[in-house]
Amino acid sequence: MIPPNSHRQFSCDADQSSEGNQRFTAEAMFAATIETSPTAMVMIGADGCIVFVNAESEKLFGYPRSELIGEHIELLVPEKFRSGHPELRSRYFESPAARRMGMGRELFGRCKSGAEVPIEVGLSPVRAGSELFALATIIDITERKKLAETQRKLNEELEERVATRTRELAHANESLRASEERFELAVAGSSDGLWDWDLGSGTVFFAKRFKELLGYSDDEITDDFREFESRLHPEDRDATFAAIRGHLDRREPYDVEYRLKTKRNEYRWFRARGQALWDSAGRPTRMAGSITDIHQQKLASRALEQSNHDLQQFAYSASHDLQTPLRGIANFAQFLEQEYSSKLDETGRDYISRIVAGAKRMQRLINDLLEYSRVESRAAPFVPCDLNEVVDDAILLLNASLEETGAIVTHDVLPVVPGDRAQLSRLFLNLIGNAVKYRGEQPPQVVVSATEVPGGFQLSVRDNGIGISGEHFEQIFEIFRRLHTQQAYPGTGIGLALCKRIVQRHHGSIWVESEVGVGSIFHFTLYGRIAT
Ligand code: ADP
């Protein structure tokens, strides 16, 4: 048993040597080192009583060392741990294994104030002669605990966030899968071929149906963009790539027609539509869509285009070539009429006048047909056309017949529209001309009006004429289709067909509303765009 004041043995008293030099004994050096250590140190005897404390211990526990020396170490242990605490001591002294694991025990210390501090205690055996002491190094781990707690909370929060995000992703994945499945179903139903292009890696997933459309089985085509590129018809390459760029860079709709090479080394027409996905930085990451086989449709419309073109060519050359001999017939018939009619009898004169009338009518027909065939071949580029001027010009041209019939033609303030001026003039001339020609009992009253519609304008020409019965609403726009005899109303039956072609060239449509005996309204839309 070490007496309570035995700590003096470990104090840092200087020893005066016989030579008079100031020199520290080993003991004094040990004591000085311990005293100034930044770690609290407490030395305990085999009976558990404190034999020495350093300055840091006084600071940590708030006791002056005089109140600690000789006291049992349990003074520094919170009461609730005391019953268990002897274990530390006995185990330490009794078991070599416990001794080895002396460091790193996390415990609580009890301060003089009663406050508990989390501490870490390390124990080292110190032998002084035959006596065994334990030197406890005590570290205040309040800050470390706080840090660990903060860390734990952060980890928990992070884990929670990861869990939430995982749940969200799983949910998103589920709905994505569901929508993909729905999409695949829809696509399978419509027999389109799906593709899904990863823009980062360049891999393209081609669905089974996509490959089938090209005549391949599922494992025969590699899943990459080069595969698609190598199949694309060289003539469709630029337009297709421009459309892809337009979609990825400017988010323009991706809807193109191109030819792809099939297994039989033939090109087939497809219509491709697609939609990209952009990341939060606005970079496209993925693009997916489908292709539809439009080969037959395309061939049919090309054939139709070709035959329309041929027909137009025929109408043009026939009418053009017929003009000269017809002019001859008309001229000579007129000579006969003027210079020889006195030498002919009544029947002869009648024949000649019929030839003259027939030739004139044929000239009109041929001129109209020529004009009809020129809607496409002599088409001028679209420019802004002030329809107020266009309608005023038509009124001027029709002046004679307007005066003759007492017709009144008025118009609202009309818009300026992109179009082919000559053709728009012809359109109004025909419609206003017909409104006057097919007049009823009253002097003709014609009103031209306009309303704006999405992307263009709707124009209307209303009259108070004889009207048209419902069953003829469609056929009057067909070429050579007339509802009257030449005697009743002269005409070629080309006027409205020409109007329809002009309107179609301006991407619009034309139709009529009418009631017999009341009047007619011809409506048409114009969606022309100025070419850039
Ligand atoms: P055309 O006037 O030379 O016969 P159109 O193609 O201009 O040829 O007209 C076709 C037919 O539509 C006309 O024969 C006429 O019966 C009918 N039609 C055209 N415009 C009117 C109108 N404003 N009122 C009544 N009928 C009309």
Side-chain angles (χ1 to χ4, degrees), residues 434 437-438 463 468 476 481-484 491-493 495-496 520:
N434 277 352
K437 180 160 86 175
Y438 298 101
D463 66 45
I468 305 161
I476 53 170
R481 205 55 94 106
R482 311 202 62 237
L483 303 179
H484 311 278
T492 58
L496 286 180
S520 312

Side-chain angles (χ1 to χ4, degrees), residues 368 430-439 461 463 465-468 472 475-484 486 489-499 512 514 519-522:
D368 284 359
N430 282 5
L431 294 177
I432 300 170
N434 277 352
V436 175
K437 180 160 86 175
Y438 298 101
R439 65 183 171 274
V461 180
D463 66 45
I466 58 170
I468 305 161
H472 299 127
Q475 46 173 302
I476 53 170
F477 295 101
E478 288 169 22
I479 196 162
F480 302 133
R481 205 55 94 106
R482 311 202 62 237
L483 303 179
H484 311 278
Q486 285 303 317
Y489 297 94
T492 58
I494 297 176
L496 286 180
L498 181 66
C499 289
V512 70
S514 184
S520 312
I521 314 175
F522 283 82

Side-chain angles (χ1 to χ4, degrees), residues 53-72:
V53 293
N54 68 353
E56 196 57 33
S57 305
E58 291 179 297
K59 222 161 87 186
L60 174 61
F61 293 104
Y63 287 101
R65 68 184 71 191
S66 57
E67 288 179 25
L68 289 174
I69 304 299
E71 290 301 323
H72 196 276

Side-chain angles (χ1 to χ4, degrees), residues 14 17 64 74 93 107 116 150 179 187 246 323 339 372 408 427 525-526:
S17 75
E74 284 209 338
F93 288 109
L107 302 162
E116 289 177 14
T150 318
S179 65
V187 164
Q323 264 184 328
E339 296 177 23
Y372 180 80
I408 298 168
L427 179 60
T525 47
L526 298 174

